[in-house]
Amino acid sequence: MSTGINPRDPDEPPSDTAPDGADPAIGYVFEHTRGRKCLVFTNSREEAEEVTTTLRRYCEVNHEPDRFLIHHGNLSASIRESAEELMRDDSADLSIVATATLELGIDVGRLERAFQINAPFTVSGFLQRMGRTGRREAPPEMWFVMREEQPEPRALTPETLPWELLQGIALVQLYREEHWVEPARLDRLPYSLLCHQTLAILASEGELTPPQLATRVLTLTPFHRISADDFRVLLRHLLAHDYVQTAETGGLIVGLAGERVTNNYKFYAVFQESVEYTVRCDSQEIGTLCAPPPPGEKVAIAGHVWLVEEVDHKRRLLYVTQVKGRVPAYFGECAGDINTRVLVRMRQALEESTPYAYLRPQARARLAQARHVAKNGGLTKSPLMSLGGNMWCLFPWLGSYAFLALERLLKIRCAKDLGLKGLDSSRPYFMTFVMREGMTEQTFFEILTGAAAELGDPMDLVYPAEVPYFEKYDELVPEELVRKGFALGTLDVAGMKARVRQWANERGIIWAEPAQIVPAD
């Protein structure tokens, strides 16, 4: 099923007809792009491939010329540039399906409207995408199209809520009501970037003494939270593994292992890269894929389906031929990060009775249904809901990193006292779990409050053998710094504690932090 957020007249008739049995959401996009130049934004490369393949199939079924292009980071430069050039032709009514690659910067000519498949992750992303339309004195248009699977008859209450619709409403309302956008996170501990800049400065400057190198690196704005002690730990590690070495004069220079890193043409791109295989059909380069399937299997890329003929693992090449059909694409992407303010505004959308004039009738009906479910279940009154028996659901209304910190607190510090089992997280919306028989809501919050208050070191939320590599040069960084960067720079422990403390205050539970021992003079 699909719901829509549409800034125009909700009763506007379709401009054409999607094939019988079409996916309602994609059929809606198909209907409202004919005769116009449009951008269709998706939140992942996989979704971009799936949407493009479906739209092209609808063209084929309707015996129409293909009017859909595709643009994302795994496509070859020639395919991306060809799509950009075709879109710049104002006489051609084409639409292009894209990821964040077309949010800003690239000229694709006059655009009349943008579609967003499901809610984007941020207000800033929503504004960037909407800003691509409305050129040449026309108002900007952004049409949200929310895709939902029909809930199973026995689905649990939290699974029946339209989370994407609520998220889309929250993003729109935060900007309409407050002109709010996500602030930059300045509290990170970017050790991967620190390693990159250390090697980059040595590669460009040549020999530097340790104090000179520390001054050049640690005075850069991103490293304002990184201590001299942490930098010494990094330098010792780089010296021990020959990424850096000591010159005869006592200064530091790039070592042999470091030269292999800095001499690579990809060195100055600080973003993580997966091991990718180049996909080729005859002499044409199509794009790149991670973890290619064996010969005889099919892959989806560039909006088409291809049969894998040969895999050259040594040269990382995938030889394919184009075929008909449909298969899911996979590029190894992760979901984006959502700010706590967005989740709080989603909760408000469930509590209030505002109809929101920009919603289409089906979206209004879906929102009304969700509000009815939330009211009857007390979902916005208490964050903890009984699902029957010993199963419970927690709605923290926290952003991605605070939610993750709470999830780890429950697993690591509360599981034994609560008799917690089978915690299943739908991050960052809700988590379900089983608690010991006889456990009450009040007892849950008492145990949770005690664990949060006693948590002094965020490192306690990192599993003993865990080394959470996320960034490109994490593997060159000492494990102790990788763990520290995740615990103190990625997890939002402060945001998690603030929410748990709020819950404690609402229930009259005392927040008792460990006593601080002050040494005598």
Side-chain angles (χ1 to χ4, degrees):
M1 68 183 292
S2 65
T3 53
I5 298 179
N6 180 355
R8 287 203 171 185
D9 182 357
D11 298 319
E12 178 186 350
S15 55
D16 62 355
T17 304
D20 292 338
D23 177 320
I26 307 305
Y28 182 82
V29 173
F30 183 80
E31 290 171 352
H32 291 83
T33 51
R34 173 176 280 177
R36 294 180 171 86
K37 290 190 65 176
C38 303
L39 259 172
V40 182
F41 281 111
T42 63
N43 292 327
S44 72
R45 287 168 281 188
E46 289 87 350
E47 190 173 42
E49 290 286 350
E50 184 259 333
V51 168
T52 306
T53 302
T54 304
L55 288 169
R56 285 174 170 171
R57 192 166 69 252
Y58 291 173
C59 289
E60 184 179 348
V61 170
N62 276 18
H63 306 290
E64 299 180 14
D66 181 6
R67 53 186 168 91
F68 295 98
L69 306 169
I70 186 169
H71 195 287
H72 63 69
N74 274 77
L75 297 176
S76 68
S78 62
I79 290 179
R80 294 197 306 269
E81 290 166 3
S82 174
E84 294 161 17
E85 184 177 352
L86 288 169
M87 288 298 292
R88 284 193 288 269
D89 180 1
D90 286 347
S91 65
D93 292 327
L94 299 172
S95 294
I96 186 167
V97 182
T99 57
T101 55
L102 286 185
E103 276 187 7
L104 47 86
I106 298 176
D107 178 20
V108 287
R110 172 185 58 85
L111 295 169
E112 297 177 63
R113 61 176 59 155
F115 292 84
Q116 170 67 49
I117 307 294
N118 293 330
F121 302 120
T122 63
V123 175
S124 58
F126 153 59
L127 294 176
Q128 291 285 4
R129 295 178 178 198
M130 183 172 68
R132 293 310 310 265
T133 67
R135 307 294 175 87
R136 304 181 185 179
E137 301 181 359
E141 289 188 26
M142 170 66 88
W143 296 34
F144 282 60
V145 181
M146 308 304 183
R147 305 173 76 184
E148 280 192 277
E149 294 292 336
Q150 192 70 31
E152 297 291 332
R154 296 185 179 181
L156 299 174
T157 298
E159 297 170 348
T160 66
L161 294 177
W163 294 103
E164 291 280 357
L165 176 61
L166 294 172
Q167 188 171 314
I169 290 170
L171 295 174
V172 172
Q173 292 303 116
L174 281 170
Y175 188 73
R176 292 187 70 191
E177 296 165 349
E178 308 173 37
H179 280 220
W180 180 87
V181 294
E182 292 79 7
R185 281 200 68 181
L186 303 176
D187 57 347
R188 301 290 185 106
L189 289 171
Y191 293 116
S192 174
L193 182 61
L194 179 73
C195 177
H196 175 271
Q197 288 297 293
T198 299
L199 294 176
I201 288 172
L202 282 178
S204 63
E205 296 289 334
E207 183 178 342
L208 292 173
T209 66
Q212 287 173 332
L213 181 60
T215 299
R216 290 291 306 275
V217 175
L218 295 182
T219 53
L220 297 173
T221 302
F223 309 132
H224 70 282
R225 287 191 65 207
I226 293 177
S227 66
D229 286 341
D230 284 350
F231 189 58
R232 278 191 286 271
V233 170
L234 174 65
L235 278 184
R236 291 192 196 103
H237 182 81
L238 295 177
L239 283 163
H241 292 80
D242 204 27
Y243 293 109
V244 172
Q245 68 183 48
T246 305
E248 292 180 0
T249 54
L252 299 177
I253 59 175
V254 176
L256 291 176
E259 287 180 355
R260 288 195 292 271
V261 175
T262 58
N263 290 339
N264 189 301
Y265 74 98
K266 294 184 178 181
F267 170 66
Y268 287 100
V270 298
F271 300 105
Q272 179 66 283
E273 295 175 333
S274 302
V275 176
E276 296 179 338
Y277 285 68
T278 299
V279 182
R280 286 184 179 171
C281 178
D282 297 326
S283 61
Q284 181 187 11
E285 182 177 325
I286 309 300
T288 58
L289 287 177
C290 301
E297 297 291 324
K298 296 177 182 178
V299 296
I301 187 170
H304 294 289
V305 176
W306 312 81
L307 180 69
V308 178
E309 301 285 357
E310 180 186 348
V311 180
D312 185 337
H313 291 286
K314 185 175 180 180
R315 298 167 61 200
R316 295 201 178 110
L317 291 174
L318 201 68
Y319 295 97
V320 300
T321 54
Q322 187 174 338
V323 295
K324 293 184 180 294
R326 178 181 178 184
V327 293
Y330 176 69
F331 299 99
E333 285 198 301
C334 300
D337 306 318
I338 305 175
N339 191 280
T340 291
R341 285 289 300 277
V342 176
L343 273 295
V344 171
R345 191 60 185 83
M346 289 168 64
R347 174 179 174 173
Q348 183 181 335
L350 281 176
E351 292 176 316
E352 59 194 11
S353 57
T354 308
Y356 311 120
Y358 50 79
L359 294 183
R360 290 182 61 82
Q362 189 173 357
R364 292 178 191 170
R366 190 71 181 92
L367 177 61
Q369 180 187 45
R371 286 170 169 171
H372 177 75
V373 170
K375 182 178 180 180
N376 286 351
L379 190 149
T380 58
K381 292 182 179 179
S382 172
L384 188 65
M385 170 190 286
S386 172
L387 298 178
N390 297 327
M391 179 166 280
W392 300 78
C393 182
L394 183 66
F395 300 91
W397 307 110
L398 287 171
S400 303
Y401 294 124
F403 186 104
L404 182 57
L406 177 62
E407 183 182 327
R408 285 171 173 255
L409 182 73
L410 284 167
K411 289 179 177 179
I412 295 172
R413 303 293 289 268
C414 302
K416 183 178 179 180
D417 293 335
L418 293 172
L420 202 68
K421 295 180 181 179
L423 191 149
D424 186 16
S425 174
S426 294
R427 195 178 305 143
Y429 305 131
F430 63 88
M431 57 183 90
T432 58
F433 45 81
V434 172
M435 289 197 293
R436 183 183 301 115
E437 188 172 355
M439 196 64 67
T440 65
E441 180 180 326
Q442 183 71 10
T443 306
F444 171 85
F445 285 109
E446 288 173 355
I447 293 173
L448 179 62
T449 299
E454 292 170 5
L455 180 67
D457 187 355
M459 292 291 291
D460 291 343
L461 298 184
V462 183
Y463 296 105
E466 181 182 14
V467 185
Y469 291 143
F470 288 113
E471 304 298 333
K472 183 174 181 178
Y473 294 103
D474 276 347
E475 293 188 9
L476 274 60
V477 175
E479 290 185 358
E480 62 182 283
L481 293 185
V482 174
R483 290 163 57 84
K484 181 178 179 180
F486 175 71
L488 280 71
T490 298
L491 292 179
D492 183 5
V493 175
M496 177 271 288
K497 282 192 168 188
R499 182 53 47 83
V500 176
R501 192 165 193 163
Q502 173 193 334
W503 292 338
N505 291 338
E506 292 169 352
R507 289 159 180 79
I509 301 171
I510 297 174
W511 178 279
E513 295 190 15
Q516 300 294 318
I517 300 175
V518 180
D521 293 334

